[in-house]
Amino acid sequence: MILDKFSLKGKVAIVTGSNTGLGQGICRAYVEAGAKVVGVSRRPSTETEEICGKNFYNVIADLSSVDVIPEIIAKTVDKFGRVDILVNNAGVIKRQDSIEFSEEDWDSVLNVNLKTVFFLTQAVARKFMEQKSGGKIINIASMLSYQGGVRVPSYTASKSAIKGVTMTLANEWAKYGINVNGIAPGYMATNNTQALRQDEERSADILARIPAGRWGTPADLEGAAVFLASSASDYVNGFTLAVDGGWLGR
Ligand code: NAP
């Protein structure tokens, strides 16, 4: 039955940035699809815990440093015995004219959005190989994996790079049954876009360009996130899928 291929029953997922926004939606969808989920966040994911129930376990970790990675893997295996899925969702954005952009705003974004993503992915892939299980890695990219944006140079650098690295890792690890794909959300109503949505002029410009005529929501991402974590996508590898209300096609 085709719908069985979308089930995540018996799977264990790690989702970073689980306390809010798109990450919270992905945790909810994965639990509903049958998975056990370890949500990683720097502050407690209390609301996500309430939504997901006993199949959700929160690990507190600040992903601005790679030092936390061994603990994330160890706590996941202690709690649920294995790892099958990783969603690199946690991300930060800094907005400033490029001419004024500081080294701190460059490094802080690249550390969370790219460096820790790469090394956490490497650690999880090593676990997949040790388990001889294969697995699914999903990197949350952006429209700025495809476009330049304005006033967000470090964010664009990180999200363009993650789309490229997604392809590199798929090339190297497909032979181990590991799928590495990306999801590029369009303009979604979360904390990440709060400043944009509060800027009346920018907000109106953005809305006018979205063919769907509305901002996206965390629920809009859930179908793609479940698909790419499930065996329904076993022959999809190295691709970054836009979930953008038609933005990129405009
Ligand atoms: P969000 O509500 O700001 O969520 C970002 C998540 O990342 C939060 O859970 C945040 O934790 C976490 N995070 C940031 N820095 C961290 C750190 N050092 N350690 C641990 N966790 C950290 O925004 P969102 O829209 O859901 O973003 C999720 C992903 O989608 C990000 O990668 C973002 O770049 C991407 N994205 C979003 C949009 C959009 O329109 N919203 C579009 C394209 C791509 P705190 O709550 O503690 O900050």
Side-chain angles (χ1 to χ4, degrees):
M1 174 45 180
I2 182 63
L3 288 181
D4 293 341
K5 288 194 161 195
F6 290 82
S7 168
L8 302 182
K9 202 158 187 284
K11 303 290 184 191
V12 176
I14 298 174
V15 179
T16 66
S18 56
N19 55 302
T20 186
L22 305 181
Q24 182 178 76
I26 293 168
C27 291
R28 195 207 66 75
Y30 281 7
V31 166
E32 194 178 311
K36 294 185 164 62
V37 176
V38 171
V40 181
S41 54
R42 59 182 164 181
R43 0 189 222 116
S45 294
T46 315
E47 199 181 75
T48 311
E49 229 153 26
E50 279 164 19
I51 293 168
C52 292
K54 66 175 176 20
N55 286 330
F56 178 85
Y57 178 67
N58 191 200
V59 171
I60 302 292
D62 184 341
L63 297 166
S64 55
S65 159
V66 295
D67 295 347
V68 297
I69 292 171
E71 193 191 342
I72 294 169
I73 307 287
K75 286 188 168 168
T76 302
V77 174
D78 267 5
K79 180 71 183 171
F80 293 132
R82 54 183 294 111
V83 194
D84 302 287
I85 299 157
L86 167 66
V87 183
N88 287 304
N89 165 77
V92 279
I93 189 164
K94 300 283 179 183
R95 300 177 196 278
Q96 177 60 276
D97 291 346
S98 292
I99 204 76
E100 306 282 356
F101 213 78
S102 67
E103 188 176 352
E104 191 193 338
D105 282 353
W106 183 270
D107 287 343
S108 62
V109 171
L110 268 293
N111 279 341
V112 176
N113 293 15
L114 186 62
K115 183 176 176 184
T116 300
V117 168
F118 175 77
F119 286 103
L120 179 58
T121 300
Q122 181 191 63
V124 167
R126 286 176 177 164
K127 195 74 204 154
F128 292 163
M129 290 177 198
E130 186 191 310
Q131 292 172 175
K132 298 193 189 334
S133 58
K136 304 277 184 177
I137 290 160
I138 298 149
N139 294 321
I140 303 303
S142 170
M143 291 296 94
L144 301 190
S145 305
Y146 290 95
Q147 302 178 313
V150 284
R151 304 184 73 248
V152 286
S154 59
Y155 187 79
T156 303
S158 71
K159 295 297 186 179
S160 299
I162 206 60
K163 174 171 166 286
V165 172
T166 295
M167 294 187 279
T168 305
L169 301 181
N171 291 339
E172 290 188 39
W173 298 342
K175 60 177 177 275
Y176 301 108
I178 298 172
N179 298 68
V180 189
N181 288 295
I183 298 176
Y187 285 82
M188 319 297 274
T190 66
N191 298 338
N192 175 289
T193 52
Q194 195 169 4
L196 274 186
R197 283 177 291 118
Q198 280 168 349
D199 178 333
E200 270 182 39
E201 202 178 318
R202 286 281 284 131
S203 175
D205 282 354
I206 288 167
L207 207 51
R209 193 190 180 284
I210 303 173
R214 65 172 178 85
W215 289 73
T217 67
D220 287 314
L221 216 69
E222 293 177 6
V226 170
F227 169 61
L228 291 176
S230 74
S231 67
S233 62
D234 280 352
Y235 204 59
V236 180
N237 220 341
F239 192 68
T240 294
L241 171 68
V243 178
D244 65 348
W247 173 277
L248 279 185
R250 187 86 180 235

